[in-house]
Amino acid sequence: AQKVTQAQTEISVVEKEDVTLDCVYETRDTTYYLFWYKQPPSGELVFLIRRNSFDEQNEISGRYSWNFQKSTSSFNFTITASQVVDSAVYFCALSLYTGANSKLTFGKGITLSVRP
Amino acid sequence: KAGVTQTPRYLIKTRGQQVTLSCSPISGHRSVSWYQQTPGQGLQFLFEYFSETQRNKGNFPGRFSGRQFSNSRSEMNVSTLELGDSALYLCASSSGRDTGELFFGEGSRLTVL
């Protein structure tokens, strides 16, 4: 069975602060995918990133960066110089690497509030 | 490119009734999956349909069912509604060839009284 833990439930920062969202996962599989999704107040989840278990390279995309560490089963997400528009619920998720599938195991989510 | 469309957006039902939710995926996408989101359980996978066949199923009772039509549109049905079925039901579409890069609709919010 797979499990994703997002220990932080709510984070509040002031605009321009950096913020890191933590994600720890559990799986007995050696090959898997990890994801981050964002859910704004409108409700739809927005895909941010996918990493496969073979690739532990960190990734940076604009103000977003991701740190994948297999040794600690963590896939943390950092927003640099946060903005009010970053306010949303952020979900970390895990999926098996067995062919194309849409079955994701999500964490409970972290509500991020960025104050002006 | 039009996004994923879910109807209805909001609905209220009473215990024992049944409900049907609809999802129109992004044009060209052949996979539609459904998720239930509640404050207590979070986001949980219900099932996935690809080319009119159920490809994957989560751990939900048989009261939850779905289908997909030849135009890739999908419906999910919940029979004999219970209070605990109150949730946001999210539909996601994808090409079906890539794992996890899902495009979600805004959801159908079901309230069971």
Side-chain angles (χ1 to χ4, degrees):
Chain A
Q2 295 127 36
K3 186 177 177 183
V4 176
T5 302
Q6 297 181 262
Q8 305 151 310
T9 52
E10 293 184 24
I11 299 176
S12 181
V13 299
V14 176
E15 210 170 15
K16 296 197 176 109
E17 279 186 37
D18 298 348
V19 57
T20 295
L21 311 181
D22 297 333
C23 173
V24 173
Y25 62 92
E26 294 173 37
T27 179
R28 279 180 280 188
D29 297 281
T30 55
T31 54
Y32 47 88
Y33 282 110
L34 293 164
F35 306 85
W36 277 93
Y37 277 83
K38 171 182 179 180
Q39 187 177 39
S42 52
E44 82 280 16
L45 275 79
V46 177
F47 169 84
L48 294 177
I49 189 171
R50 178 186 66 189
R51 303 297 294 191
N52 69 54
S53 52
F54 305 134
D55 185 2
E56 283 192 72
Q57 270 194 331
N58 292 334
E59 181 153 341
I60 298 174
S61 175
R63 296 184 298 106
Y64 296 169
S65 62
W66 290 270
N67 184 315
F68 175 27
Q69 291 197 339
K70 247 175 144 171
S71 60
T72 55
S73 297
S74 65
F75 186 42
N76 297 337
F77 173 29
T78 297
I79 301 174
T80 303
S82 59
Q83 300 176 0
V84 172
V85 293
D86 295 327
S87 297
V89 183
Y90 290 85
F91 292 93
C92 180
L94 172 70
S95 173
L96 292 182
Y97 196 86
T98 53
N101 80 87
S102 299
K103 185 175 182 179
L104 271 60
T105 299
F106 284 89
K108 290 292 178 76
I110 301 169
T111 300
L112 174 64
S113 299
V114 182
R115 310 187 304 278
Chain B
K1 200 175 191 180
V4 177
T5 304
Q6 292 188 244
T7 57
R9 291 291 315 281
Y10 302 91
L11 65 167
I12 300 173
K13 293 284 186 178
T14 56
R15 275 181 299 175
Q17 287 187 310
Q18 66 98 24
V19 66
T20 298
L21 309 178
S22 179
C23 173
S24 293
I26 290 171
S27 177
H29 282 185
R30 294 165 63 192
S31 167
V32 173
S33 52
W34 289 88
Y35 284 82
Q36 181 196 64
Q37 185 175 22
T38 60
Q41 299 299 315
L43 277 156
Q44 293 185 287
F45 174 80
L46 280 155
F47 29 65
E48 177 194 4
Y49 286 86
F50 178 77
S51 293
E52 301 179 66
T53 301
Q54 189 179 84
R55 182 158 78 171
N56 232 321
K57 189 177 185 316
N59 297 323
F60 278 82
R63 300 185 297 107
F64 292 82
S65 62
R67 59 178 175 167
Q68 186 179 35
F69 302 96
S70 58
N71 61 359
S72 293
R73 189 177 72 85
S74 176
E75 289 181 348
M76 67 162 282
N77 183 278
V78 188
S79 62
T80 319
L81 284 166
E82 300 176 359
L83 295 179
D85 298 332
S86 294
L88 180 66
Y89 290 89
L90 290 162
C91 165
S93 82
S94 75
S95 65
R97 296 185 296 273
D98 219 359
T99 296
E101 190 167 347
L102 308 176
F103 296 83
F104 282 83
E106 292 181 324
S108 293
R109 184 165 294 282
L110 170 65
T111 301
V112 182
L113 302 176

